[in-house]
Amino acid sequence: MVIFNADCSRVVTSSAFGKAKKGDWNARLKVWDAASGGLVGVLSEHTQPVYVLDTHPRDRRVIVSAGYDAKVCFWDIQTCSVLKVVTISFATDLRLLPVDFDARAADILDGKFEPDGTGFAGTHKNGWLSIVSFDYRRDRLQATHREQFFQTDARRLEVDAQSNVIDREAQLPPHLVPQGLLCDRFMTPHETQVAALTDVPVDLMPLLLSDSLRASAPEALEPLSGGGGLV
């Protein structure tokens, strides 16, 4: 990974090739002088490979790095010092089977500063998106549903006689199927809905939500053959 800072006076590199000994990743994030090519300093905080580097859109001194250690680090590259470290983790979900648990789920694979520099968004190995915010939006983000899927996101598809991909149940192209209510990853509708995000008429939403929650309740699900459990 190679980036310039906002005024192109510094170059930051991250090397993650080959095997490294424990702690060796600390020496692989470096700051260089863009004019002379000389080494300015080493940024020591990460303990795993770093594949995310981004420069602050307004402040030439600030960059962000993130990596497989689930750390988001904000740096002052003028002094080669860390400004803030955010370590992201996920609680164990008891609804998942042990075989589905991934101890490296929080590894950060990609990320970017917001255009105005007031936050950073990163994606994880488990498909989640984390947002680190520095302004008034923090409270609003915390009130947002952590899992956001629509009822039709996991519906089965098939190929029709004309080789078109269609929704098996509706017999329509997926983009023409009403997306329904906002759900968690297990397709259980959230008890509070954001009308602007769904295509469900406002007057029908309470009835549809009630029916959907009743249908997804544990007692309404048939046990799996040979053991039982929730689907």
Side-chain angles (χ1 to χ4, degrees):
M1 294 290 296
V2 180
I3 62 166
F4 282 90
N5 67 334
D7 67 354
C8 296
S9 62
R10 294 284 188 269
V11 177
V12 183
T13 61
S14 172
S15 173
F17 295 104
K19 294 184 178 180
K21 297 180 180 179
K22 186 177 181 179
D24 188 40
W25 298 113
N26 282 332
R28 299 198 175 196
L29 200 59
K30 299 178 180 180
V31 181
W32 309 82
D33 184 275
S36 68
L39 179 65
V40 176
V42 175
L43 308 180
S44 299
E45 184 64 41
H46 289 285
T47 56
Q48 291 290 331
V50 173
Y51 290 106
V52 179
L53 288 176
D54 196 23
T55 186
H56 193 282
R58 297 180 179 177
D59 193 331
R60 65 185 179 86
R61 301 168 299 172
V62 179
I63 69 157
V64 63
S65 64
Y68 285 5
D69 53 6
K71 290 182 179 179
V72 180
C73 302
F74 299 92
W75 303 92
D76 182 335
I77 58 172
Q78 296 298 109
T79 60
C80 292
S81 59
V82 65
L83 300 172
K84 179 74 175 179
V85 178
V86 179
T87 301
I88 300 173
S89 61
F90 298 99
T92 302
D93 193 327
L94 299 178
R95 296 173 295 179
L96 294 177
L97 298 174
V99 70
D100 294 323
F101 177 72
D102 187 347
R104 300 295 302 277
D107 292 9
I108 301 174
L109 308 182
D110 201 0
K112 191 75 176 175
F113 263 119
E114 292 191 27
D116 61 0
T118 59
F120 170 84
T123 56
H124 299 272
K125 182 180 177 182
N126 63 357
W128 283 57
L129 169 73
S130 291
I131 301 176
V132 181
S133 183
F134 313 127
D135 65 0
Y136 64 91
R137 285 171 293 184
R138 179 180 177 87
D139 291 337
R140 292 173 57 190
L141 290 171
Q142 289 179 335
T144 302
H145 295 305
R146 292 176 61 84
E147 299 179 0
Q148 298 187 30
F149 299 88
F150 290 108
Q151 286 178 309
T152 56
D153 283 352
R155 300 232 314 218
R156 294 181 181 273
L157 303 177
E158 63 182 18
V159 178
D160 65 12
Q162 287 75 42
S163 298
N164 299 312
V165 176
I166 60 174
D167 182 280
R168 177 178 293 181
E169 181 179 337
Q171 293 294 297
L172 292 171
H175 69 283
L176 296 180
V177 178
Q179 58 195 18
L181 298 170
L182 204 60
C183 305
D184 64 15
R185 75 179 106 164
F186 297 97
M187 295 296 109
T188 301
H190 294 296
E191 293 187 7
T192 58
Q193 295 286 318
V194 182
L197 296 180
T198 73
D199 53 13
V200 178
V202 175
D203 56 336
L204 295 180
M205 188 174 293
L207 179 60
L208 181 58
L209 181 59
S210 176
D211 290 344
S212 298
L213 288 173
R214 188 181 305 112
S216 61
E219 59 272 15
L221 299 175
E222 297 181 0
L224 295 174
S225 59
L230 300 184
V231 182

